Amino acid sequence: SQTIHQWPATLVQPVGSPLSLECTVEGTSNPNLYWYRQAAGRGLQLLFYSVGIGQISSEVPQNLSASRPQDRQFILSSKKLLLSDSGFYLCAWSAWPRFSGNTIYFGEGSWLTVV
Amino acid sequence: SQQGEEDPQALSIQEGENATMNCSYKTSINNLQWYRQNSGRGLVHLILIRSNEREKHSGRLRVTLDTSKKSSSLLITASRAADTASYFCATATIQGAQKLVFGQGTRLTINP
């Protein structure tokens, strides 16, 4: 069965410090990978998605970047965090679509507080 | 831009009652999905309905889709305290079928 791991679960970082959130998927190959952000009590905002190694699509211009160095690894980074980067970050995957609109499976999320 | 918009934003009912949440969207879709999120956790997929379907059932869940009105509803029958969570609709547009766009969610509280 497929599983998705996301870490760290919680982190508190000072303004201006770097960020690295990591996500890995097991039990599948060539997944679509996603990073979403959720502000407190709000909906999900799609930040990045990737359909293959080294391929990143950015949905919202921001202080963050994403990379996919391996097929099942997705990393969210920042060189210098801003207060507004605080939030709940969710990694997710979906199967490589033989048809469009596959179900998305989420990790447990990472709580980021920038202080 | 946000595609799905849920209504109401918050809903509080008594255990055993039915809960209905609505979702409206703006552009043509390939499918619409409903997800559930317990507080501070990741989202869990509940049900997917394709654009050529009008109704779908899964256990106590019933989803309808009206593409002419660009709207969907999620009905939870015989609600339980464990159904307390936030519920989100998400749409996959025909153009961007590899990604889902989520609404703001409905916060459902089931009172014992």
Side-chain angles (χ1 to χ4, degrees):
Chain A
S1 64
Q2 299 86 6
T3 57
I4 179 169
H5 303 282
Q6 182 181 346
W7 70 93
T10 306
L11 68 164
V12 180
Q13 294 285 96
V15 169
S17 65
L19 170 73
S20 180
L21 300 179
E22 191 164 341
C23 172
T24 59
V25 180
E26 297 176 357
T28 188
S29 58
N30 198 23
N32 295 321
L33 297 173
Y34 309 84
W35 279 110
Y36 284 87
R37 176 170 61 196
Q38 185 177 32
R42 303 293 301 278
L44 278 74
Q45 180 186 36
L46 178 61
L47 302 176
F48 302 95
Y49 72 96
S50 171
V51 299
I53 296 175
Q55 192 280 336
I56 307 293
S57 295
S58 175
E59 289 295 298
V60 182
Q62 59 213 325
N63 186 42
L64 302 169
S65 62
S67 61
R68 184 171 178 172
Q70 300 181 44
D71 180 44
R72 290 169 290 175
Q73 183 185 27
F74 207 24
I75 298 172
L76 183 69
S77 304
S78 174
K79 293 182 179 178
K80 290 185 178 181
L81 285 169
L82 306 172
L83 287 174
S84 58
D85 292 324
S86 294
F88 189 46
Y89 288 83
L90 289 155
C91 181
W93 73 275
S94 67
W96 196 87
R98 289 183 291 276
F99 59 93
S100 54
N102 278 17
T103 298
I104 287 185
Y105 301 93
F106 285 85
E108 285 300 306
S110 297
W111 286 99
L112 170 65
T113 304
V114 182
V115 297
Chain B
S1 62
Q2 210 66 33
Q3 168 73 319
E5 296 290 339
E6 287 91 344
D7 170 59
Q9 292 186 345
L11 178 63
S12 180
I13 61 174
Q14 294 301 119
E15 195 167 19
E17 295 180 339
N18 296 340
T20 299
M21 290 159 273
N22 303 297
C23 170
S24 60
Y25 58 91
K26 298 177 181 176
T27 62
S28 296
I29 61 171
N30 179 279
N31 67 72
L32 185 146
Q33 303 181 35
W34 285 91
Y35 288 77
R36 166 197 167 118
Q37 183 183 33
N38 288 346
S39 182
R41 304 294 298 276
L43 280 74
V44 176
H45 177 257
L46 295 176
I47 197 165
L48 179 153
I49 186 165
R50 303 195 185 283
S51 59
N52 61 352
E53 297 177 311
R54 292 296 168 259
E55 188 171 312
K56 206 161 184 179
H57 298 256
S58 177
R60 294 185 295 113
L61 305 180
R62 173 178 169 248
V63 169
T64 62
L65 179 64
D66 187 335
T67 53
S68 66
K69 296 181 179 178
K70 290 186 169 61
S71 66
S72 173
S73 67
L74 170 66
L75 169 68
I76 303 175
T77 60
S79 64
R80 306 167 181 170
D83 294 329
T84 295
S86 291
Y87 292 82
F88 295 87
C89 70
T91 51
T93 61
I94 295 173
Q95 292 79 9
Q98 292 172 333
K99 58 183 182 181
L100 292 183
V101 179
F102 286 79
Q104 296 295 308
T106 293
R107 174 67 188 171
L108 175 64
T109 301
I110 308 299
N111 302 304

